[in-house]
């Protein structure tokens, strides 16, 4: 047996070793596993039960239980802790100061513990974390938006969490790193493995500047089911999940639905109506998800009271600064030719004296000019109006 590597302050060494062993015995995310842990009285009694040759408990077939028993007999948690320590990682479990309490919302699907690699404190980072997830085979539009959202969140002091995959995940991680912000990748394999291999350098950089997190012990490889169960951890660790691009069948939607079940904020970035890669996002937005387009809108949802996104509006034009009465008179003037004050009063449904007063105001501001016995728009006003109509699609 390898030398026992001390863990973070909190859980006893025996409990830590037992939980590390169980993380190699059971597949992540099975609620009946958590129920078995709870009814067994803790990790140590459950591990002893597995290694003691007892018959299967309720809900387990004999063949399944024998397979778990064989895993338990082969598990060497001290060696796993040593392998983790060799790459600068640690095993954080319930009872540790670094354990994020929001993971307890997963109830019986809560991890036995998390293997964590990186200099930051997982609990503190999870208090201000947002998940940015989406398609692996994303478009340039999705890549740009994921990176821009991550930059904006990092600049506002928020940690960007994702799954370390190609596409939207990678763009989100790179955006946060590029802004000298915090980012954490929740993996579906051991934290000593660089998966996907094409992201080995990115994951190494995250380990130096951020956090790599995973349920599986060192050396474990990813499987399709592990990617799916991993997504619940992303949802639980963060204050909300933003989906940038996702088809109707997408792992990103699994994360979003897990976040919704946990009472977290679910957000989506809309894409082209014709894009299949945005169809899943649009379905979310037809439900309970919030539409967001930038980091300020995300923070307005997940942040503290008063962290409001600025109101978005078009550019202010000179007409916007006019009083309603002056605007009404200006609108009554024809595009070409002059008109009398009496005609304007009739068109604007007001008195002649009021119209004359507004016309002199508009003249002082350069909107109208007097010609003979009538009034007309200045050339500058006609040109500006024509451009405005073209933009509005009225000509």
């Amino acid at each position: 047996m390898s030398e026992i590597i001390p863990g973070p302050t909190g859980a006893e060494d025996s409990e830590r070793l037992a939980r590390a062993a169980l993380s190699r015995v059971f597949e992540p995310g099975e609620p009946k596993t958590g129920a078995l842990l709870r009814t067994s009285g803790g990790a140590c009694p459950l591990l002893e039960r597995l290694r003691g040759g007892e018959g299967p408990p309720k809900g387990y077939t004999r063949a399944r239980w024998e397979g778990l028993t064989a895993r338990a007999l082969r598990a060497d948690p001290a060696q796993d802790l040593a392998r983790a320590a060799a790459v600068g990682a640690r095993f954080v479990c319930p009872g540790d100061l670094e354990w994020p309490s929001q993971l307890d919302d997963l109830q019986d699907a809560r991890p036995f513990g998390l293997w964590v690699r990186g200099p930051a404190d997982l609990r503190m980072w999870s208090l201000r974390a947002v998940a940015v997830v989406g398609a692996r085979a994303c478009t340039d539009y999705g890549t740009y938006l994921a990176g821009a959202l991550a930059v904006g969140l990092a600049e506002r002091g928020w940690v960007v969490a994702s799954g370390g995959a190609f596409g939207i995940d990678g763009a989100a991680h790179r955006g946060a790193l590029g802004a000298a912000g915090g980012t954490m990748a929740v993996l579906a394999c051991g934290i000593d493995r660089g998966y996907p291999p094409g992201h080995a350098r990115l994951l190494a950089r995250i380990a130096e500047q951020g956090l790599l997190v995973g349920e599986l012990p060192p050396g474990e490889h990813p499987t399709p089911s592990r990617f799916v169960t991993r997504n619940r951890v992303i949802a639980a660790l963060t204050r909300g999940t933003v989906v940038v691009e996702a088809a109707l069948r997408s792992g990103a939607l699994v994360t979003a639905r897990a976040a919704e079940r946990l009472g977290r904020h679910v957000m989506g970035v809309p894409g082209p109506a014709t894009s299949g890669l945005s169809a899943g996002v649009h379905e979310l937005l037809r439900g309970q998800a919030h539409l967001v387009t930038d980091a300020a809108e995300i923070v307005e949802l997940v942040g503290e009271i008063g962290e409001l996104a600025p109101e978005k509006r078009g550019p202010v034009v000179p007409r916007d600064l006019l009083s309603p009465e002056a605007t009404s008179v200006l609108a009554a003037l024809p595009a070409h030719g002059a008109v009398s004050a009496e005609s304007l009063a009739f068109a604007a449904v007001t008195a002649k004296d009021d119209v004359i007063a507004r016309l002199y105001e508009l003249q002082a501001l350069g909107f109208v000019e007097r010609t003979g016995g009538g009034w007309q728009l200045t050339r500058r006003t006609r040109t500006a109006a024509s451009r405005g109509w073209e933009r509005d699609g009225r000509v």
Side-chain angles (χ1 to χ4, degrees), residues 156 267 291-302 307-310 312:
R156 288 165 172 79
M267 295 154 278
L291 188 152
V292 294
T293 59
D294 59 26
E297 293 173 351
I298 296 171
V299 173
E300 182 176 71
L301 285 170
V302 303
E307 292 187 78
L308 302 178
K312 292 181 179 178

Side-chain angles (χ1 to χ4, degrees), residues 48-235:
E48 290 174 4
R49 183 176 183 176
L50 282 160
R51 290 174 169 174
E54 295 184 26
K58 184 178 179 180
Y60 290 84
T61 64
R62 180 168 295 279
R64 174 64 173 162
W65 187 251
E66 287 178 355
L68 295 172
T69 296
R71 281 189 175 189
L73 291 172
R74 290 197 302 269
D76 187 348
Q79 183 180 62
D80 285 336
L81 290 169
R83 289 180 65 180
V87 295
R90 56 201 180 274
F91 185 62
V92 178
C93 54
D96 290 336
L97 295 177
E98 196 180 354
W99 178 257
S101 59
Q102 59 263 48
L103 286 173
D104 300 338
D105 293 344
L106 292 169
Q107 300 179 10
D108 285 339
R110 182 182 72 171
F112 290 112
L114 290 175
W115 302 85
V116 181
R117 181 180 174 188
D121 184 284
L122 177 62
R123 176 176 173 271
M124 298 305 296
W125 270 29
S126 298
L127 294 175
R128 284 180 64 86
V130 175
V132 179
V133 297
R136 287 176 172 81
C138 61
T139 65
D140 291 342
Y141 166 83
T143 300
Y144 169 78
L145 276 176
L149 291 176
V151 168
L153 288 167
E155 290 175 343
R156 288 165 172 79
W158 285 82
V159 175
V160 176
S162 200
F166 292 128
I168 297 300
D169 289 16
H173 290 308
R174 290 189 180 94
L177 291 169
T183 187
M184 55 182 173
V186 183
L187 307 180
C189 59
I191 52 168
D192 58 338
R193 297 175 64 97
Y195 190 90
H199 272 179
R201 293 181 62 184
L202 174 61
L203 295 173
R205 189 177 172 200
I206 294 173
E208 293 174 359
Q209 186 174 322
L211 287 174
L212 297 180
V213 181
E215 293 180 80
L216 294 160
E220 285 294 305
H221 62 277
T223 64
S225 64
R226 288 173 173 180
F227 282 116
V228 173
T229 57
R230 174 276 310 271
N231 292 342
R232 83 194 193 288
V233 178
I234 297 177

Side-chain angles (χ1 to χ4, degrees), residues 9-76:
T9 302
E12 297 292 336
D13 282 344
S14 57
E15 178 75 5
R16 188 179 312 283
L17 284 169
R19 285 182 173 272
L22 293 174
S23 74
R24 188 170 286 282
V25 173
F26 292 95
E27 285 297 307
E30 295 182 359
K32 71 175 184 179
T33 302
L36 180 61
L37 174 67
R38 176 166 41 80
T39 56
S40 297
C44 291
L46 177 55
L47 185 60
E48 290 174 4
R49 183 176 183 176
L50 282 160
R51 290 174 169 174
E54 295 184 26
K58 184 178 179 180
Y60 290 84
T61 64
R62 180 168 295 279
R64 174 64 173 162
W65 187 251
E66 287 178 355
L68 295 172
T69 296
R71 281 189 175 189
L73 291 172
R74 290 197 302 269
D76 187 348

